[in-house]
Amino acid sequence: MKITRIAAYQVDLPLHEGRYSWSGGKSVDVFDSTVVVVETDTGIMGCGECCPLGPAYLPAYAAGVRAGLKELAPSLLGLDPTRIDVLNRVMDAVMKGHPYVKSPVDIACWDILGQTAGLPVCELLGGRDGDDVVLYRAISQTSPGEMAASVRSYRKDGYRRFQLKVGGDPDTDIARIHEVALQLQPGDKLVADANTGWVLHEALRVVRAVRDVDVYIEQPCLTYEECRAVRERTDLPMVLDEVIDGLSPLMQAASDRAMEVVNLKISKLGGLTKARQVRDFCTSLGIAMTIEDTWGGDITTAAIAHLAHSTASDLRFSSTDFNSYVTRSIAIGAPQRHNGRMTATASPGLGVTPRWDELGSPVLDVH
Ligand code: MG
């Protein structure tokens, strides 16, 4: 089998809530997503998606996905998309870094491999474990009272995991955590995600003020060293996200016992192939994981579901259904949330079909 064409489509994904806000006053109103379609000489085609969380979250930006693909795609024509490790080595040889550019290509090739094998991607990634995947809801940063109301509202949709966007003024963040904690019921889990937004003295004030709350602290500061310094001064469970961008930092953090949970984002790591490698390392070491991506629509949600559903169920901390945050559906067959949970689809490949009328004309077409 050979790759004969790689096309990219740009889609805008508005939000039901209108705006998503997190640390440092950062926000996104409309997500800019890129859908990649890989065609082959057999007629089988696969799709992938990459949607950065704006340009200021990770070293990634929406137009960069398309610019990078323009450089990368010509080198991939003629390769066998089912030999995914070989394809990844070629991608890494012709373009250094830029994992988020490679991610949608890698996902599309897993979709092709699944269709070729007649198996859902989750079966190829290790096999479906359990009935479904527990989802978290990200609670956009607003006033403490509004965030508590948001948690009450999303619990009615079945969510039991809540990720509060903090990382702002420490006094307000302390109020946010306390006010939301009053809403919790037995079995709920609360994460306060600072998204690198606190400097060290602020982080230490917050963890001290909420020491009696049942809350996880996520990525309090910008650097790994600062996060470790917070960790040494608190007994609250710790989640690392932004600083775990590959296997090497994960190995360091695991060796230092720097966290109990890591957030694995598919595009941050460079696709399902590399996310699987990091996932399997965490599994061997007993580190729990949130399996997700930076953002996206139906195709990203399908890829997340397959990776999450094939992860050991006792190490699945949570996952996320980004397609429920956005007002627009870009593919048929994507997982849909049911009572705060989702399942990977049983169809071969990712199990999704792009809605071509929503994608419009390709912005990049290499053949
Ligand atoms: Mg995070």
Side-chain angles (χ1 to χ4, degrees):
M1 188 184 289
K2 285 187 168 68
I3 294 174
T4 54
R5 181 183 180 219
I6 297 176
Y9 302 81
Q10 189 276 328
V11 286
D12 285 338
L13 299 174
L15 289 158
H16 286 294
E17 288 190 5
R19 173 169 291 187
Y20 178 71
S21 303
W22 68 102
S23 75
K26 294 186 276 289
S27 67
V28 170
D29 294 345
V30 177
F31 280 92
D32 179 344
S33 195
T34 302
V35 173
V36 171
V37 175
V38 174
E39 293 185 16
T40 67
D41 58 351
T42 65
I44 293 177
M45 62 172 71
C47 61
E49 182 181 2
C50 180
C51 183
L53 181 49
Y57 174 63
L58 289 172
Y61 65 106
V65 183
R66 274 99 64 180
L69 285 167
K70 191 177 173 190
E71 291 281 331
L72 183 66
S75 302
L76 308 179
L77 295 178
L79 295 181
D80 186 337
T82 66
R83 293 178 176 155
I84 298 181
D85 283 4
V86 177
L87 180 118
N88 269 274
R89 286 197 284 275
V90 172
M91 289 201 289
D92 287 342
V94 300
M95 176 178 279
K96 200 154 185 78
H98 302 279
Y100 70 109
V101 171
K102 300 164 186 171
S103 182
V105 177
D106 176 81
I107 293 168
C109 291
W110 277 97
D111 187 20
I112 291 168
L113 178 63
Q115 292 174 58
T116 305
L119 289 169
V121 168
C122 66
E123 303 298 351
L124 298 170
L125 289 170
R128 190 184 299 268
D129 189 349
D131 295 332
D132 50 26
V133 172
V134 174
L135 301 168
Y136 79 82
R137 189 74 190 192
I139 305 298
S140 182
Q141 188 176 107
T142 52
S143 70
E146 286 172 308
M147 291 175 82
S150 185
V151 165
R152 277 197 301 277
S153 168
Y154 283 117
R155 183 186 284 99
K156 289 181 189 152
D157 291 336
Y159 290 103
R160 292 292 180 271
R161 307 274 189 280
F162 304 99
Q163 190 192 83
L164 298 189
K165 290 296 151 183
V166 290
D169 167 65
D171 294 307
T172 312
D173 284 337
I174 291 164
R176 287 178 174 122
I177 294 167
H178 279 135
E179 199 147 334
V180 167
L182 295 174
Q183 311 300 322
L184 297 183
Q185 294 176 8
D188 291 355
K189 286 197 176 76
L190 180 63
V191 175
D193 186 0
N195 287 112
T196 76
W198 295 321
V199 292
L200 192 47
H201 66 89
E202 295 172 326
L204 292 173
R205 282 190 57 226
V206 175
V207 295
R208 188 168 184 273
V210 303
R211 64 196 302 172
D212 295 323
V213 178
D214 184 7
V215 61
Y216 294 69
I217 301 296
E218 179 168 337
Q219 191 70 43
C221 300
L222 182 62
T223 67
Y224 174 68
E225 290 74 18
E226 291 168 291
C227 291
R228 268 198 75 191
V230 176
R231 159 103 163 161
E232 286 164 4
R233 304 274 287 274
T234 178
D235 62 359
L236 294 172
M238 183 75 74
V239 186
L240 290 180
D241 184 347
E242 282 90 329
V243 294
I244 304 296
D245 58 1
L247 197 52
S248 293
L250 177 67
M251 289 169 70
Q252 177 71 54
S255 170
D256 294 340
R257 301 186 189 279
M259 73 283 156
E260 281 70 38
V261 184
V262 291
N263 281 17
L264 303 187
K265 293 185 162 74
I266 296 169
S267 64
K268 175 177 70 175
L269 298 167
L272 285 169
T273 302
K274 288 176 178 170
R276 175 187 59 166
Q277 186 183 33
V278 174
R279 186 271 309 263
D280 291 346
F281 183 87
C282 288
T283 304
S284 295
L285 294 178
I287 299 168
M289 293 160 268
T290 286
I291 306 278
E292 57 165 346
D293 208 328
T294 45
W295 209 273
D298 286 312
I299 300 168
T300 291
T301 302
I304 290 169
H306 284 286
L307 184 64
H309 214 150
S310 60
T311 299
S313 56
D314 57 339
L315 293 175
R316 283 200 301 252
F317 185 75
S318 64
S319 193
T320 195
D321 58 327
F322 283 124
N323 60 348
S324 79
Y325 291 67
V326 299
T327 62
R328 193 172 170 192
S329 170
I330 58 168
I332 299 161
Q336 302 297 320
R337 183 185 69 242
H338 180 70
N339 200 24
R341 294 162 179 267
M342 70 175 173
T343 60
T345 54
S347 311
L350 289 178
V352 293
T353 306
R355 296 183 192 273
W356 299 106
D357 52 332
E358 292 288 333
L359 300 188
S361 301
V363 294
L364 176 78
D365 193 347
V366 177
H367 54 272

